[in-house]
């Protein structure tokens, strides 16, 4: 496949501020690739090991050491580009991006500059500007007796991370709200995870997001001056940081002042934004072509390898759930953007014979609620066959919806099949036809004649307490719809 069509991402949530300003957001995302070895040397990539044990002259930047491109990293980057429908360049260049900081032993980062590996494409509603390859820096840790980062006594460097392959994804400024940015990142993360090119864990730093944001008069086509937010290491912080910065900028422009271009740090603890530096320009980095590397050539074989490694992606899967299985767009995204939920749902669908897919899909969030949103349902006690059987019992009216939720909770706790659980717990539905329910309806009416009178007079609100009585008496085993029907039949005005 060559491209993922923008089938998801519902409406454009363009929200103009009340007095006619709108936010504009573009993201720069760094993704650590999960190759076995580093970008330009053979050191293994390991996390959480003793510092400085996976290094060599290349990734330590010792004089005379020469970089060699990791082909697997190129394939991974090409897969990402192909998933966006980007143009993958047959020839691209590595540049040196020069800067001085203790996390960079060479004094420069090997990156790509004006001839990146991939250009264009899109994911969901958002156009992709470019995708390029580069290397990660070392990890700095700031240590102080008090445990504070600022005012630390000393900083230490771990070069194990230095030289890890990174892909930088730069979007066009197509996002309009913090929520939309967050939802789009969820799609991006699901896509990268489906590609299997990264473990995309924000808390571990394998997915890092910088957000560029500006405000402008709604309807204007020009872009306002942007600021860049760094250090957003969770989706929630990203959303909160963006909201804080948008509010700040709106305050500035409403006061008739102008926004200054700068790089900001968002502190999630205080919710405060502080200036890191006024924005650097590309020429500050003295980019020049990396003299130790040939231009990066992407041949047919490599491109074919990348293409054939691309599975069905979340956007396509959401479209299939929506159009082939009849799920709502929201539910389709909810399941498709978390791959393990989508996998589990498909197993439930395969196991079901009667219940329609949208019915089955409704049970997944109920299951997730019970097992916790970080747990893969495949690892829970609830087998897909069991969930399908539960849904079937509800559609055959053998279980009321309430009783089925109770059965589901029991399945989560102790496993087992729903029909024997329901029977053992006395939760099987009371069939409407056998007189038991009719008798309970009589009792409900007898103990609340006032409500009965109102229902007779077509005040339908008054039916609530009557239905409630029967549901209480049956401990939720009765089918609510059937109870309603029986009450209305009994209290029909003549
Ligand atoms: P820079 O030269 O500062 O790196 P780029 O043009 O390369 O800026 O864009 C970097 C990122 O900032 C991209 O994701 C882009 O979409 C976004 N961006 C650019 N201009 C704006 C703007 N005025 N408002 C919001 N985002 C922007
Ligand atoms: Mg940039
Ligand atoms: Zn190395």
């Amino acid at each position: 496949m060559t491209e993922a069509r923008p089938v998801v991402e519902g409406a454009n949530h363009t929200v103009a501020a009340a007095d006619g300003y709108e936010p504009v957001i573009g993201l720069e995302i760094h993704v650590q690739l999960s190759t076995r070895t580093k970008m330009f040397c053979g050191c293994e990539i390991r996390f959480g090991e003793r510092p400085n044990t996976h290094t060599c002259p290349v990734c330590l930047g010792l004089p005379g050491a020469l970089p060699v491109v990791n082909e697997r990293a190129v394939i991974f980057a090409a897969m990402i580009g192909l998933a966006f429908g980007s143009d993958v360049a047959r020839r691209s260049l590595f540049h040196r991006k020069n800067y001085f900081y203790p996390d960079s032993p060479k004094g420069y980062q090997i990156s790509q500059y004006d001839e990146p590996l991939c250009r264009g494409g899109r994911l969901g509603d958002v156009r992709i500007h470019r995708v390029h390859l580069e290397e990660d820096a070392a990890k700095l840790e700031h240590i102080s007796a008090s445990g504070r980062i600022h005012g630390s006594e000393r900083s230490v460097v771990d070069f194990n991370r230095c030289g890890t392959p990174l892909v930088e994804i730069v979007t066009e400024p197509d996002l309009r709200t913090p929520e939309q940015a967050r939802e789009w990142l969820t799609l991006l993360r699901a896509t990268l995870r489906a590609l299997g090119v990264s473990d995309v864990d924000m808390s571990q730093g394998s997915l890092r997001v910088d957000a560029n944001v500006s405000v402008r008069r709604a309807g204007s086509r020009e872009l306002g001056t942007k600021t860049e937010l760094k250090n957003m290491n969770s989706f929630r912080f990203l959303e909160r940081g963006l909201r804080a910065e948008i509010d700040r900028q709106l305050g500035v422009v409403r006061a008739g002042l102008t926004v200054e271009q700068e790089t900001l740090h968002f502190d999630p603890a205080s919710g405060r934004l502080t200036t890191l530096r006024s924005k650097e320009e590309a020429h500050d980095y003295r980019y020049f072509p990396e003299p130790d590397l040939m231009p990066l050539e992407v041949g047919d074989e490599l491109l074919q390898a990348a293409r054939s490694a691309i599975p069905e992606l979340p956007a396509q899967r959401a479209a299939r759930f929506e159009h082939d299985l009849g799920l709502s767009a929201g539910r389709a995204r909810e399941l498709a953007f978390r791959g393990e939920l989508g996998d589990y749902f498909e197993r439930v669908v395969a196991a079901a014979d009667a219940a329609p897919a949208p019915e089955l899909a409704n049970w997944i969030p109920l299951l997730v609620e019970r097992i916790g949103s970080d747990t893969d349902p495949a690892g829970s006690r609830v087998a897909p066959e069991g969930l399908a059987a539960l849904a079937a019992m509800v559609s055959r009216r053998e279980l009321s919806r309430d009783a089925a939720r109770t059965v589901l909770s029991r399945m989560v706790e102790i496993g087992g099949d729903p029909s024997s659980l329901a029977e053992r717990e006395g939760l099987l539905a009371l069939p409407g036809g056998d007189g038991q329910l009719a008798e309970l309806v009589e009792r409900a009416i007898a103990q609340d004649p006032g409500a009965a009178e109102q229902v007779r007079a077509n005040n339908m609100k008054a039916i609530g307490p009557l239905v409630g009585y029967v549901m209480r008496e049956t401990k939720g085993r009765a089918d609510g719809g059937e109870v309603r029907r029986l009450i209305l039949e009994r209290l029909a005005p003549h």
Side-chain angles (χ1 to χ4, degrees):
M1 57 140 274
T2 50
E3 56 180 355
R5 283 287 85 205
V7 280
V8 290
E9 291 304 295
N12 259 318
H13 337 210
T14 306
V15 179
D19 53 354
Y21 286 100
E22 78 173 355
V24 174
I25 301 163
L27 302 176
E28 292 168 284
I29 302 108
H30 286 93
V31 183
Q32 274 180 348
L33 299 180
S34 44
T35 49
R36 193 178 60 79
T37 56
K38 293 185 180 180
M39 185 66 220
F40 299 113
C41 64
C43 292
E44 282 191 36
I45 298 167
R46 294 291 186 82
F47 300 100
E49 291 209 356
R50 229 157 58 76
N52 301 309
T53 51
H54 295 278
T55 59
C56 74
V58 173
C59 57
L60 289 176
L62 300 187
L66 289 174
V68 177
V69 172
N70 181 336
E71 185 177 353
R72 179 60 69 88
V74 179
I75 294 178
F76 281 4
M79 285 168 67
I80 294 171
L82 290 170
F84 298 154
S86 311
D87 288 328
V88 179
R90 292 312 192 104
R91 181 181 182 281
S92 64
L93 286 183
F94 285 107
H95 271 67
R96 288 188 181 179
K97 180 181 182 179
N98 298 281
Y99 71 97
F100 176 77
Y101 203 62
D103 65 1
S104 169
K106 300 195 294 283
Y108 59 86
Q109 175 195 33
I110 304 180
S111 180
Q112 295 196 294
Y113 181 50
D114 53 357
E115 295 189 47
L117 182 64
C118 313
R119 287 180 210 264
R122 66 160 62 225
L123 178 68
D125 281 346
V126 175
R127 290 169 302 151
I128 302 295
H129 179 60
R130 58 184 277 162
V131 176
H132 73 247
L133 267 168
E134 58 188 33
E135 57 178 339
D136 207 348
K139 197 176 163 126
L140 285 180
E141 240 173 292
H142 309 283
I143 299 176
S144 74
S146 67
R148 283 181 310 136
I149 288 192
H150 297 290
S152 53
E153 283 162 10
R154 63 202 175 100
S155 297
V156 292
V157 190
D158 177 5
F159 289 100
N160 285 356
R161 193 181 78 175
C162 198
T164 300
L166 288 183
V167 151
E168 179 173 341
I169 299 164
V170 182
T171 77
E172 296 293 347
D174 287 348
L175 293 156
R176 293 292 174 270
T177 68
E179 305 77 61
Q180 195 191 10
R182 179 188 179 144
E183 198 194 350
W184 185 80
L185 272 176
T186 311
L187 171 60
L188 176 68
R189 185 176 58 177
T191 303
L192 295 169
R193 190 167 279 152
L195 289 171
V197 295
S198 170
D199 58 10
V200 285
D201 184 341
M202 268 184 118
S203 67
Q204 296 300 313
S206 52
L207 178 70
R208 308 199 284 267
V209 182
D210 298 336
N212 298 271
V213 56
S214 60
V215 296
R216 67 178 175 194
R217 288 231 167 256
S220 162
R221 299 176 135 264
E222 267 162 53
L223 292 168
T225 302
K226 70 176 161 73
T227 58
E228 187 168 352
L229 291 181
K230 297 267 184 189
N231 185 43
M232 315 262 254
N233 54 9
S234 83
F235 283 10
R236 203 156 42 91
F237 294 161
L238 173 90
E239 205 177 327
R240 276 170 42 196
L242 277 172
R243 196 165 291 136
E245 175 55 8
I246 288 166
D247 286 347
R248 188 192 68 85
Q249 289 191 18
L250 287 173
V252 170
V253 296
R254 280 174 189 147
L257 304 169
T258 51
V259 171
E260 301 273 342
Q261 180 160 325
E262 59 186 341
T263 302
L264 300 163
H265 169 94
F266 176 66
D267 176 19
S270 65
R272 289 237 311 271
L273 297 152
T274 47
T275 301
L276 281 182
R277 54 178 180 263
S278 60
K279 172 74 187 173
E280 69 284 349
E281 303 282 341
H283 63 249
D284 294 331
Y285 290 118
R286 301 288 189 274
Y287 278 100
F288 64 87
E290 168 59 64
D292 291 339
L293 288 168
M294 302 287 283
L296 179 61
E297 307 270 358
V298 170
D300 291 340
E301 212 171 302
L302 189 146
L303 210 52
Q304 194 43 47
R307 199 165 267 139
S308 60
I310 296 177
E312 182 188 46
L313 296 172
Q316 302 161 320
R317 194 180 212 188
R320 181 164 59 79
F321 286 174
E322 186 181 345
H323 300 122
D324 297 0
L325 299 180
L327 271 54
S328 71
R331 181 75 83 220
R333 288 209 292 268
E334 183 184 345
L335 301 184
F337 290 9
R338 263 190 64 192
E340 70 278 17
L341 295 189
D343 293 346
Y344 185 87
F345 167 63
E346 299 216 47
R347 289 172 59 195
V348 175
V349 171
D353 38 22
E359 262 309 305
L360 297 168
N362 290 339
W363 287 96
I364 310 286
L366 295 171
L367 174 59
V368 168
E369 210 175 274
R370 284 163 175 75
I371 61 177
S373 59
D374 293 333
T375 309
D376 179 351
S380 77
R381 291 202 165 87
V382 182
E385 295 73 23
L387 198 64
L390 184 69
M393 289 180 76
V394 173
S395 43
R396 287 195 300 263
R397 293 174 173 257
E398 292 163 18
L399 269 182
S400 74
R401 233 160 257 285
D402 278 350
R405 287 171 188 234
T406 307
V407 171
L408 181 60
S409 298
R410 298 299 285 150
M411 290 166 77
V412 168
E413 288 158 17
I414 59 176
D417 78 285
S419 64
S420 39
L421 273 173
E423 200 173 331
R424 182 148 28 103
E425 312 250 330
L427 289 166
L428 285 177
L430 298 170
D434 73 352
Q436 254 196 85
L437 271 187
E439 200 183 307
L440 281 169
V441 164
E442 289 305 329
R443 284 194 359 228
I445 290 168
Q447 58 84 45
D448 195 348
E453 205 42 57
Q454 290 188 45
V455 174
R456 246 190 217 103
N458 281 332
N459 177 0
M460 289 306 161
K461 256 199 219 142
I463 202 171
L466 300 175
V467 175
Y469 177 86
V470 176
M471 297 312 280
R472 265 196 313 282
E473 289 296 303
T474 60
K475 299 196 175 63
R477 293 156 63 203
D479 180 69
E482 179 66 5
V483 172
R484 251 183 105 82
R485 195 187 63 74
L486 287 171
I487 294 172
L488 289 174
E489 191 179 80
R490 173 69 177 67
L491 298 178
H494 296 290

